[in-house]
Amino acid sequence: MIQDLNLQDELTTPHIDISERMKNSAIILYYVNESDGKTSIFNDKNEIIEQIVPKKGRLLFMKGDTLHSGQWPKSTPFRITLNINVDLPK
């Protein structure tokens, strides 16, 4: 059992949304609500190079092999995103 777990300042695990078969792909994140749970973009050294604040109706486009993570919201109750992975034509 996990006790006293405070995720408010924590990022989710950095990840890439593509599989091997979707090498030529794009990621679209649609932010459903206002939130302070940012999306972080990482470089190849696992350093945060950009953070996007969720705004209702905002779209974020990135290459499918972009390393990214979410962040647990601090002052808003929810962070809701729709994640769309698109296999692009070659």
Side-chain angles (χ1 to χ4, degrees):
M1 181 174 167
I2 299 173
Q3 296 179 353
D4 298 325
L5 183 60
N6 183 353
L7 296 175
Q8 300 238 339
D9 294 324
E10 298 295 320
L11 297 174
T12 60
T13 303
H15 61 279
I16 296 172
D17 289 351
I18 63 167
S19 67
E20 282 297 314
R21 68 174 189 78
M22 292 180 67
K23 284 290 186 187
N24 191 34
S25 65
I27 300 166
I28 304 167
L29 287 181
Y30 172 72
Y31 296 98
V32 177
N33 67 321
E34 302 279 329
S35 175
D36 62 339
K38 300 173 187 170
T39 299
S40 297
I41 309 295
F42 296 82
N43 64 15
D44 58 356
K45 297 177 185 174
N46 289 335
E47 301 166 329
I48 295 174
I49 57 172
E50 189 169 355
Q51 290 191 307
I52 295 87
V53 176
K55 299 288 183 194
K56 184 177 182 177
R58 177 175 278 173
L59 290 171
L60 171 63
F61 294 87
M62 55 188 156
K63 289 177 53 179
D65 60 355
T66 301
L67 185 64
H68 63 282
S69 71
Q71 180 183 38
W72 295 97
K74 297 175 187 173
S75 62
T76 54
F78 301 103
R79 176 186 187 271
I80 304 171
T81 59
L82 175 63
N83 185 342
I84 304 164
N85 298 326
V86 180
D87 194 7
L88 300 172
K90 297 183 169 121

